Amino acid sequence: MLHAAGSGALKHVQVREYVRALVRDAEPGSPAPSERELVQQFGVARMTVRQAMDALVTEGLLERIPGRGTFVARPRRGVGRLTSFTEEMHRVGLTSENQTLHARLGQAGPGVARALGITAGDAVIHWKRLRCSDGEVIAIEDAYLNEVMLPGFLQAPLPASLYDELGARGLRPTWAEDTVTADVASPDEADLLGIAGGTAVLRQTRRALAGDAVVEVSRSCYRADRYTLRVQLGVEG
Ligand code: GLP
């Protein structure tokens, strides 16, 4: 149970991540869990539950409709939502699995250091994994994380979802910049993805922030025949 995890974690973070997990696959427009029940379930003040729900409203996961209550947000036109691989797969009814190739502490090279806002040579966690769905490899993902922000990350069992784990630590990304380019798979990538060398892939780099802090820099290599990137655009005002 999420709310039992990390008893030292801030209460509002525990409530928030519990609600996030509950509404993850919920029908858009369905009612959010009731604040009164959450108060009872967690034995916390109403303010604490309010704080958790406010964060999910700000993130765009829940929406408040004046006079009616709080609901699972319907997709807003013109606004892309910052989602994890796990969420993307679940949204279209697929499973999400990980196969870790390695997870280790290293020193940040100049590029990763610049992107993470740390100094080259600083400690960085490098988590390289295959992202799979329904038993098939969809992507190779290299995530670089600032070790100082994630004490004990490598000592504990690796999470099924990086963003859930960041969320449990109060560091769920709230903003990200992605760059996507078309390319062909290298022989090594083709082996890992189970495709022929030279087949088309999509390369995505991401720099993700939680508030003002950069929490993740990643590189993903997706099978172009299995993954479609959907971007919603709008005009402000
Ligand atoms: C996407 C992003 C990655 C991020 C991952 C987290 O795939 N491109 O940068 O690390 O989501 O996914 P999860 O929370 O399922 O581990």
Side-chain angles (χ1 to χ4, degrees):
M1 292 287 285
L2 268 176
H3 64 278
S7 55
L10 293 171
K11 285 282 181 200
H12 69 93
V13 172
Q14 290 180 23
V15 177
R16 188 187 70 202
E17 294 313 312
Y18 174 75
V19 174
R20 187 200 303 287
L22 270 187
V23 305
R24 168 179 275 162
D25 302 318
E27 196 59 35
S30 60
S34 109
E35 293 192 7
R36 198 159 39 83
E37 278 167 27
L38 291 168
V39 166
Q40 279 169 8
Q41 186 177 343
F42 283 84
V44 293
R46 195 170 183 108
M47 278 260 297
T48 306
V49 168
R50 214 357 113 104
Q51 190 179 357
M53 301 297 265
D54 282 351
L56 295 173
V57 170
T58 306
E59 239 181 69
L61 199 66
L62 299 180
E63 63 180 333
R64 286 211 174 90
I65 303 183
R68 290 192 47 215
T70 310
F71 300 86
V72 177
R74 287 156 302 184
R76 275 181 283 161
R77 282 220 267 153
V79 180
R81 267 222 328 115
L82 171 51
T83 45
S84 68
F85 183 85
T86 304
E87 289 167 330
E88 288 169 11
M89 292 301 126
H90 287 180
R91 186 157 303 154
V92 290
L94 298 172
T95 65
S96 162
E97 304 102 39
N98 284 316
Q99 206 181 306
T100 293
L101 299 176
H102 67 244
R104 61 188 175 215
L105 200 58
Q107 291 186 321
V112 167
R114 202 174 320 111
L116 280 176
I118 57 177
T119 305
D122 280 355
V124 83
I125 296 165
H126 178 193
W127 187 12
K128 187 177 185 78
R129 51 189 170 149
L130 299 181
R131 308 306 313 259
C132 313
S133 180
D134 291 328
E136 193 174 45
V137 181
I138 307 285
I140 309 164
E141 207 151 66
D142 289 272
Y144 297 89
L145 309 160
N146 184 348
E147 202 264 333
V148 173
M149 294 171 75
L150 298 169
F153 184 88
L154 289 174
Q155 281 70 55
L158 290 164
S161 159
L162 172 61
Y163 282 9
D164 281 356
E165 173 63 20
L166 292 176
R169 292 168 178 255
L171 293 171
R172 163 93 200 184
T174 49
W175 185 90
E177 183 174 50
D178 284 359
T179 305
V180 181
T181 49
D183 201 358
V184 291
S186 71
D188 285 352
E189 288 169 337
D191 265 1
L192 291 171
L193 292 170
I195 54 178
T199 304
V201 290
L202 286 177
R203 292 191 194 282
Q204 180 190 52
T205 60
R206 173 172 292 182
R207 187 163 163 269
L209 278 68
D212 291 336
V214 185
V215 284
E216 180 204 23
V217 171
S218 71
R219 272 195 319 260
S220 309
C221 173
Y222 293 94
R223 280 181 64 163
D225 61 341
R226 286 286 182 278
Y227 186 84
T228 301
L229 186 83
R230 188 160 149 263
V231 184
Q232 298 175 337
L233 301 171
V235 178
E236 279 179 39

